Amino acid sequence: MLRPNLFGIPFGLAGLAACWSAAAEAVHAPGSASGVVWALAAAAWLVVLVPYARQIARGRGLRRELADPTFGPFTAVPAMLVMLLGGALAPWSRDAGAAVFVVGLLATLLVGGYLTGQWILEDLQLAQWHPGYFLPTVGGGLIAANVAARLGFGGLASVMFGYGLVCWFVLGSIILARLFSQPMLPVKLRPTLAIELAPPAVAGNAWFAMHGGRLDQVALTLAGYGLLMVIVQVRLAPLYRHVPFGPGSWAFAFSYLQAVTFGLHWIAGTDVPGRTALVWLLLAVSTAGVLLLAALTGRGLVRRTFLPGAGTA
């Protein structure tokens, strides 16, 4: 059975494409490279979407997917990818890119609103929450702000930034309370802890897009919290070593790559010594990380261990 967290694969590829796009702005890295990775992300999105949609149509049903307390939040990722792909298309055709973005935005808002209502109606226990709950509204809102700003929709970008930021404050308190006070997440859900790094990084990238890459107090504040979350991820590294590889492992990709992209925007806005070498080092490490995930995924598919069953996280 396919689960919506499988969309973490194209999501991660989109994160890598964003890194290459930021590097093109910082040190004039080849823009064609980002275009290739965006194309791969779009292809991977289709490869996952077609069988997943067929599975829903044949019996499981979208409402059951949305209501799932573990995997329901991941149902927002396909729509979030549409927004990102709309932004990637805009340099070639702004009208087409804007149209794709609007479709993704509407779908993201509908899924985010539905899920928020679902969480109110359901008798969810605190122990059932995990950082994936950031995705529908926090991730959706902040990604929408970023793409809207790049498309020139300044007012919409501000609205969506506020939408994502307030949801981050509300959900962040709940999720941290769960992580601090409840038993450790199940083993296969532990990669979602990487998503804790995403909100400050995604917010920072959106803020830079909205303000022309300018370093200001808001950017500094987001960087400060982002630094804390980077240190937290280092501390959690021993925990991650004991997690079996599966679709959930791709949760590391987008979150970490958004942090790298945030760093690349910082480099672009400051006079950092050796900036060109630093940018290329970050790109090399990021690309190698995604290639490693892709290689492990391919090996898992060949060995039939990547999608072992319905319990896979």
Side-chain angles (χ1 to χ4, degrees), residues 1-6 47-48 50-53 55 60 65 307 309:
M1 179 180 292
L2 301 181
R3 294 294 196 177
N5 65 337
L6 196 58
V47 167
V48 176
V50 171
Y52 179 69
Q55 173 182 281
R60 181 166 172 82
E65 290 288 291
L307 299 170

Side-chain angles (χ1 to χ4, degrees), residues 29-63:
S32 58
S34 65
V36 170
V37 185
W38 279 118
L40 289 173
W45 176 77
L46 282 172
V47 167
V48 176
L49 180 66
V50 171
Y52 179 69
R54 186 182 298 123
Q55 173 182 281
I56 289 175
R58 287 180 175 176
R60 181 166 172 82
L62 183 58
R63 290 186 67 180

Side-chain angles (χ1 to χ4, degrees), residues 8-249:
I9 296 174
F11 208 35
L13 291 171
L16 180 60
C19 281
W20 278 93
S21 297
E25 297 174 7
V27 296
H28 304 294
S32 58
S34 65
V36 170
V37 185
W38 279 118
L40 289 173
W45 176 77
L46 282 172
V47 167
V48 176
L49 180 66
V50 171
Y52 179 69
R54 186 182 298 123
Q55 173 182 281
I56 289 175
R58 287 180 175 176
R60 181 166 172 82
L62 183 58
R63 290 186 67 180
R64 286 183 64 189
E65 290 288 291
L66 292 165
D68 190 304
T70 299
F71 294 100
F74 296 98
T75 57
V77 176
M80 294 158 63
L81 276 161
V82 172
M83 291 193 294
L84 287 167
L85 293 172
L89 179 61
W92 283 270
S93 173
R94 186 188 179 282
D95 290 344
V100 171
F101 164 69
V102 169
V103 170
L105 173 63
L106 293 175
T108 299
L109 289 171
L110 287 172
V111 174
Y114 183 92
L115 285 173
T116 301
Q118 181 76 19
W119 300 337
I120 293 172
L121 292 172
E122 288 293 316
D123 186 21
L124 284 175
Q125 302 301 307
L126 186 59
Q128 292 177 288
W129 287 71
H130 57 75
Y133 278 67
F134 279 133
L135 290 167
T137 53
V138 181
L142 296 175
I143 287 172
N146 190 332
V147 180
R150 293 182 180 278
L151 288 170
F153 303 140
L156 177 61
S158 295
V159 169
M160 296 311 301
F161 188 83
Y163 171 102
L165 198 67
V166 173
C167 290
W168 175 20
F169 294 159
V170 173
L171 295 177
S173 61
I174 297 171
I175 293 169
L176 284 177
R178 182 261 178 267
L179 296 176
F180 289 163
S181 65
Q182 300 295 304
M184 176 57 66
L185 289 169
V187 173
K188 291 181 180 178
L189 274 175
R190 289 177 187 175
T192 64
L193 290 168
I195 300 174
E196 285 290 327
L197 177 57
V202 179
N205 291 327
W207 187 260
F208 278 137
M210 293 165 62
H211 295 85
R214 187 174 70 251
L215 297 177
D216 57 16
Q217 186 58 55
V218 174
L220 290 166
T221 300
L222 293 170
Y225 188 72
L227 177 61
L228 170 64
M229 289 296 104
V230 168
I231 298 171
V232 168
Q233 292 302 308
V234 173
R235 177 63 183 88
L236 294 175
L239 185 73
Y240 295 145
R241 290 204 300 267
H242 302 290
V243 178
F245 187 81
S249 300

